[in-house]
Amino acid sequence: QVVLVESGGGTVQPGGSLRLSCAASGFTFSTLYVSWFRQRPGKEREGVAYIFLRDGRTGYVDAVKGRFTISSDEPKDTVYLQMNALKPDDTAMYFCAVAWPRDGVTDFVQQQYDYWGQGTQVTVSS
């Protein structure tokens, strides 16, 4: 059974940091894309960052470039999202998702993703 479990969310003040984790079980990450998405209040779910574990390529949306870093620990089948300089607008439910290589994955086309976690809440507030 394939399971993705996110953790690390919480409440932080503006300018603070959090590190989210996405742990996989039931399969290994090594040939997959792993992405983080978020759903902000009242908005649709959107992609944030991806990593291609075969070669380590990463990509970010403009809103988080320079502040967020996606990384992996393959022996642990875990992907992280380090979030720095957090803003109130980063408040959202954050999800990880995995996809086999195919068109649209790096553009965060959600229908191209095969498995999703349940999400972890991040709240940025003073």
Side-chain angles (χ1 to χ4, degrees), residues 67-80:
R67 300 189 298 123
F68 290 12
T69 303
I70 190 169
S71 62
S72 66
D73 184 341
E74 289 188 50
K76 295 182 179 179
D77 283 334
T78 300
V79 167
Y80 304 100

Side-chain angles (χ1 to χ4, degrees), residues 10-12 14 38-43 46 67-68 83 86-94 120-126:
T11 300
V12 64
R38 67 184 181 186
Q39 186 163 17
R40 293 181 283 177
K43 297 188 178 181
E46 59 185 354
R67 300 189 298 123
F68 290 12
M83 305 186 296
L86 282 162
K87 306 173 182 179
D89 199 42
D90 295 317
T91 294
M93 184 71 80
Y94 284 74
T120 185
Q121 178 68 38
V122 171
T123 301
V124 184
S125 174
S126 55

Side-chain angles (χ1 to χ4, degrees), residues 21-74:
S21 300
C22 172
S25 62
F27 65 101
T28 56
F29 271 159
S30 60
T31 60
L32 301 173
Y33 282 89
V34 181
S35 293
W36 285 96
F37 290 78
R38 67 184 181 186
Q39 186 163 17
R40 293 181 283 177
K43 297 188 178 181
E44 295 185 354
R45 190 163 57 185
E46 59 185 354
V48 174
Y50 72 81
I51 185 166
F52 184 39
L53 293 167
R54 184 179 295 171
D55 61 12
R57 278 180 288 156
T58 60
Y60 303 88
V61 295
D62 288 345
V64 306
K65 280 181 182 177
R67 300 189 298 123
F68 290 12
T69 303
I70 190 169
S71 62
S72 66
D73 184 341
E74 289 188 50

